[in-house]
Amino acid sequence: MLEVMMPEAFTFTMNEVPLPEVKENEVLIDMERLGICGSDMQIYHGKHKFMSFPIVLGHEGSGTLTQVGDAVKNFAVGDRVTVQPQNFCGDCYPCRQGLYNVCEKLSVMGVHETGMSSDYFVTDASKLLKLPAELSFDQGALIEPISVATAAIRKVGGVAGAKVAVLGAGPIGNLVAQVANASGAADVLILDINPKRLTIAEQCQIPHCINSSETPLEIAISECFGTDGADVILDCAGVQQTISSAVQCAQRGSRLAVIANFKAPVEMELVLLQRKEVTLYGIMMYLRQDFEEAIRLVAQGNIHTKELITNHFPIRQIQEAYQYIDDHFADVMKVVLTF
Ligand SMILES: [Zn+2]
Ligand SMILES: [Zn+2]
């Protein structure tokens, strides 16, 4: 079978390797779709701080089971699945609190260990989630990023009846806003400086889509939400300016979540969080329940997914796909590889 390996940054090699052996608790997935993520781009550029080459990329996959180990109970050949790509120790302090998403030995498929960019992918059955018939394989590949959003909304304590502002309308910001919308938020505002991303946000029926280079966050919040402001602000942009303005604009007693991967240290006026009693949440990945919620929301038709996928490339053109994202960064949302 084909396995796409990255020996170093900017380089893919197409290797012909034997089909992996399937142990008793494992399954073999015939891959159908694989999403490319911001973290994949960081690896591609050699800028990811927490991985090492060589690596087989890919953590946003969907496919069909073609082999099932003898001890696997709840899955059968032919099941359509997606994969929760986290391996964790189960023993460390966070694992013992049920927070395996921040396990001290967290190993993410396609980042710290072999990922899914191969014709077939072998994994432990405990990492699988079934895709209901109404979900396409494209949607299956989006369940992982949607789970980042369902996890964020869960971790901030839910948004029922809340006014929610999302900073950044890239794939994660878009999905966080959509999940907030689908989870009972009273109103949702999303901001970006990229007009294309704002147009896609509008197509996804996010209620307020505002260009922050024309309308600063403070004005946008008061125009959309009135003087009470935002109950929750979620930063999916990850730059100095957005987090500074979020800290400035956060209402007294409100909630602020950091979902973005900040690539450099930033300055923020912490005293404002203290004096306004703003609760700050760090958001890192997800739990299994967040995958289940993501699948439920998509199956109910509550998340727009077609609008998010701007391009498909065959797996053998993975180099072109990454190059395309680099060359068209402002126009690309989600690029999905096909098998
Ligand atoms: Zn991802
Ligand atoms: Zn652990």
Side-chain angles (χ1 to χ4, degrees):
M1 67 167 191
L2 171 71
E3 181 184 77
V4 182
M5 170 78 78
M6 281 202 93
E8 58 187 4
F10 298 105
T11 311
F12 292 97
T13 55
M14 304 281 152
N15 298 334
E16 219 17 68
V17 300
L19 270 186
E21 192 193 320
V22 179
K23 301 197 187 85
E24 61 172 10
N25 290 313
E26 291 180 337
V27 297
L28 189 67
I29 306 171
D30 183 356
M31 294 300 299
E32 290 283 351
R33 294 288 188 277
L34 187 63
I36 299 178
C37 172
S39 66
D40 294 322
M41 293 310 294
Q42 276 183 33
I43 294 173
Y44 177 70
H45 292 141
K47 297 255 169 70
H48 198 292
K49 289 184 193 136
F50 306 103
M51 59 78 62
S52 57
F53 292 104
I55 187 75
V56 176
L57 286 180
H59 61 271
E60 304 181 358
S62 63
T64 308
L65 298 188
T66 55
Q67 255 192 74
V68 172
D70 292 339
V72 174
K73 292 277 189 300
N74 300 318
F75 292 91
V77 168
D79 282 349
R80 300 158 71 255
V81 296
T82 187
V83 179
Q84 184 185 345
Q86 299 150 305
N87 277 303
F88 46 89
C89 77
D91 295 325
C92 69
Y93 176 79
C95 276
R96 280 183 278 120
Q97 320 298 313
L99 298 174
Y100 59 77
N101 56 313
V102 287
C103 170
E104 289 168 9
K105 295 181 182 145
L106 182 69
S107 178
V108 178
M109 300 169 197
V111 180
H112 311 107
E113 62 182 49
T114 296
M116 301 175 218
S117 45
S118 52
D119 286 332
Y120 295 88
F121 180 68
V122 70
T123 192
D124 197 277
S126 65
K127 307 299 171 191
L128 294 182
L129 291 106
K130 257 180 231 177
L131 298 176
E134 53 269 45
L135 263 67
S136 66
F137 284 119
D138 271 345
Q139 289 174 318
L142 288 178
I143 293 301
E144 191 270 353
I146 297 170
S147 302
V148 174
T150 51
I153 297 305
R154 173 179 60 79
K155 287 182 225 181
V156 299
V159 294
K163 293 178 186 131
V164 178
V166 179
L167 314 182
I172 293 294
N174 178 300
L175 289 169
V176 167
Q178 288 203 61
V179 168
N181 213 11
S183 305
D187 209 354
V188 180
L189 157 67
I190 192 165
L191 298 104
D192 205 295
I193 55 172
N194 178 331
K196 169 97 190 229
R197 291 185 162 183
L198 290 168
T199 302
I200 292 172
E202 278 167 17
Q203 290 164 354
C204 295
Q205 286 168 10
I206 295 164
H208 307 279
C209 308
I210 292 187
N211 193 321
S212 51
S213 60
E214 294 158 7
T215 310
L217 179 62
E218 188 182 0
I219 310 278
I221 286 179
S222 69
E223 278 178 2
C224 298
F225 296 161
T227 47
D228 281 355
D231 299 293
V232 187
I233 300 178
L234 302 113
D235 187 342
C236 304
V239 292
Q240 174 73 62
Q241 207 191 335
T242 58
I243 195 71
S244 305
S245 60
V247 170
Q248 290 287 340
C249 298
Q251 173 60 293
R252 288 158 197 268
S254 71
R255 297 169 269 168
L256 173 59
V258 177
I259 303 170
N261 252 299
F262 280 81
K263 288 168 192 72
V266 290
E267 275 181 32
M268 52 200 268
E269 245 183 287
L270 220 45
V271 69
L272 291 178
L273 296 188
Q274 179 257 322
R275 297 201 76 82
K276 294 192 285 188
E277 252 189 23
V278 173
T279 306
L280 181 64
Y281 295 87
I283 311 283
M284 168 66 181
M285 299 187 90
Y286 33 63
L287 303 176
R288 188 174 181 87
Q289 68 200 79
D290 303 311
F291 265 68
E292 290 165 351
E293 175 68 0
I295 289 171
R296 199 180 65 79
L297 290 176
V298 176
Q300 287 176 345
N302 284 333
I303 306 289
H304 293 259
T305 54
K306 274 212 171 68
E307 294 81 351
L308 278 179
I309 299 177
T310 43
N311 307 82
H312 286 96
F313 284 86
I315 183 72
R316 287 188 179 276
Q317 289 174 24
I318 191 169
Q319 182 89 53
E320 287 88 335
Y322 275 75
Q323 190 61 49
Y324 183 87
I325 297 172
D326 260 354
D327 293 345
H328 301 83
F329 186 72
D331 295 324
V332 167
M333 281 289 268
K334 210 71 196 163
V335 172
V336 173
L337 299 166
T338 59
F339 291 77

